[in-house]
């Protein structure tokens, strides 16, 4: 069941929202709902606590301290010239 949400917004804000929603092919409601839910999820993820037992925490620290492994595809990509440099 959907619950109504009412907001008072300046016309300039509505114009920006409507323009962006139109560019995405979305309604104002869908666009605002999606943006609000995405922002809320980001806040919740920032506040999430990850708990590890001591052995797992040591393994996590070891992984962070280990030298990075080269990814061949990234190395090859970085060797290429950018299209605007050719």
């Amino acid at each position: 069941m959907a619950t109504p949400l009412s907001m008072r917004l300046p016309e300039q804000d509505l114009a920006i929202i409507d323009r962006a929603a139109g560019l995405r092919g979305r309604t104002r409601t869908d666009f605002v709902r999606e943006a609000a839910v995405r922002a809320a999820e980001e806040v919740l993820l920032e506040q999430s606590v990850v708990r590890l037992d001591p052995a797992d925490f040591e393994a996590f620290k070891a992984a962070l301290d280990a030298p990075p492994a080269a990814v061949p595809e990234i190395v090859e990509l970085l060797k290429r010239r950018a299209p605007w440099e050719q």
Side-chain angles (χ1 to χ4, degrees), residues 3-16:
T3 302
L5 174 67
S6 177
M7 293 188 284
R8 294 183 186 277
L9 299 172
E11 286 186 29
Q12 304 92 318
D13 291 355
L14 275 180
I16 291 171

Side-chain angles (χ1 to χ4, degrees), residues 51-74:
R51 299 184 194 285
L52 298 173
D53 63 41
D56 288 338
F57 183 62
E58 290 304 318
F60 175 72
K61 290 192 313 184
L64 291 177
D65 292 338
V71 177
E73 295 85 357
I74 300 294

Side-chain angles (χ1 to χ4, degrees), residues 71-83:
V71 177
E73 295 85 357
I74 300 294
V75 172
E76 179 60 34
L77 180 65
L78 293 173
K79 288 180 182 178
R80 295 184 200 161
R81 293 177 63 122

